[in-house]
Amino acid sequence: MQIQTPKRTLITTEDGSHSIYVPELNEHYHSTHGAIQESNHVFIEAGLKEILKSKRSISIFEMGFGTGLNAFLTLIYSLEHDIDIQYTAIEAFPVEEELLNKLNYGEIINEGAFENYFMNLHSAEWEQWNHLHENFQFIKHKVSLLDFKSDDKFDLVYFDAFAPNVQPELWTTEIFQKIYNSMNSGGVLVTYCCKEHEIGWFFD
Ligand SMILES: C[S@@+](CC[C@H](N)C(=O)[O-])C[C@H]1O[C@@H](n2cnc3c(N)ncnc32)[C@H](O)[C@@H]1O
């Protein structure tokens, strides 16, 4: 598959954390109301904490690694709560180093206490397991979800794609069946998507 990286710019969201904007898609990587707030709410609160009600050692699959914010918050959680996590992420269009170096997550989360781990997620080798901490094993693949194959099974899926109107090929029954087949029994999938509707008023 031909991969073309789109142009991207840095923005600051309402909670002070950065995100990325893709002009040609008119899409942001996170909610403009707050990148960290959204990631915590959707992926940590609804996903990670839910699966941890039944397991203390889990495998996670993230569709769309992007800025690494979800992985970073998950890594911090694993350290603070002594939970073992195997984290697999895929990304078709890795963010360029120049932009990554400007992201403020490392500085503003826990007053910079974990900043090195944020950089380690990004400097980690692609296509191989990286031991980022006793509790956190990490692998990232540069591949499209459409082509991704793995024999691994996952307890938790962070499905963090762009909206269906810009990426309809990722929001199909086939894709969700493929993900379902790669999940352990009792697994959890979390995602977030916002689609605007135009409302028309008709008068006789
Ligand atoms: C909404 S952003 C979320 C990014 C990330 N989770 C974060 O917190 O920064 C969607 C991500 O999916 C990636 N992506 C888009 N199409 C993809 C595909 N077909 N396969 C894998 N990743 C894809 C984009 O490059 C982008 O990084």
Side-chain angles (χ1 to χ4, degrees):
M1 182 192 172
Q2 180 75 24
I3 292 182
Q4 286 189 334
T5 302
K7 284 209 169 34
R8 297 176 273 217
T9 56
L10 197 75
I11 62 141
T12 302
T13 66
E14 284 173 22
D15 69 1
S17 58
H18 285 151
S19 186
I20 290 176
Y21 176 61
V22 187
E24 75 190 55
L25 302 178
N26 192 23
E27 280 284 300
H28 294 92
Y29 274 40
H30 308 95
S31 162
T32 53
H33 296 299
I36 291 178
Q37 183 183 297
E38 175 195 48
S39 184
N40 265 325
H41 181 69
V42 177
F43 299 99
I44 305 301
E45 293 293 330
L48 185 60
K49 289 191 181 175
E50 183 61 31
I51 193 70
L52 291 175
K53 288 178 184 167
S54 54
K55 291 187 156 188
R56 300 301 289 172
S57 170
I58 58 165
S59 57
I60 300 179
F61 173 67
E62 179 174 25
M63 151 59 217
F65 176 65
T67 61
L69 177 57
N70 294 333
F72 184 44
L73 292 175
T74 305
L75 187 156
I76 293 172
Y77 196 93
S78 76
L79 298 183
E80 290 182 334
H81 297 85
D82 194 21
I83 287 149
D84 290 329
I85 296 184
Q86 289 205 329
Y87 198 106
T88 299
I90 64 165
E91 175 54 64
F93 312 101
V95 178
E96 50 277 36
E97 210 177 326
E98 197 194 333
L99 262 187
L100 289 177
N101 288 337
K102 292 182 183 160
L103 291 170
N104 63 2
Y105 308 135
E107 288 157 49
I108 67 179
I109 295 173
N110 294 54
E111 295 169 352
F114 300 104
E115 190 159 10
N116 284 348
Y117 287 112
F118 183 69
M119 299 320 297
N120 294 346
L121 282 164
H122 287 292
S123 60
E125 293 290 336
W126 293 81
E127 321 302 340
Q128 72 179 49
W129 281 102
N130 295 269
H131 179 84
L132 296 195
H133 185 269
E134 200 182 324
N135 299 84
F136 197 88
Q137 316 305 318
F138 175 65
I139 188 167
K140 55 185 176 178
H141 301 282
K142 185 180 172 187
V143 65
S144 167
L145 179 61
L146 301 172
D147 303 320
F148 180 62
K149 292 186 181 66
S150 169
D151 293 330
D152 293 337
K153 292 276 184 191
F154 305 104
D155 300 300
L156 174 61
V157 174
Y158 294 162
F159 189 84
D160 203 3
F162 291 123
N165 57 323
V166 296
Q167 292 203 291
E169 72 281 9
L170 297 187
W171 296 85
T172 64
T173 309
E174 289 73 24
I175 285 288
F176 282 100
Q177 184 67 53
K178 176 171 151 172
I179 293 174
Y180 178 82
N181 294 344
S182 72
M183 293 178 72
N184 287 322
S185 156
V188 172
L189 180 147
V190 274
T191 188
Y192 172 80
C193 159
C194 183
K195 192 170 177 188
E196 287 177 15
H197 292 272
E198 278 183 24
I199 299 174
W201 294 90
F202 299 94
F203 299 97
D204 288 329

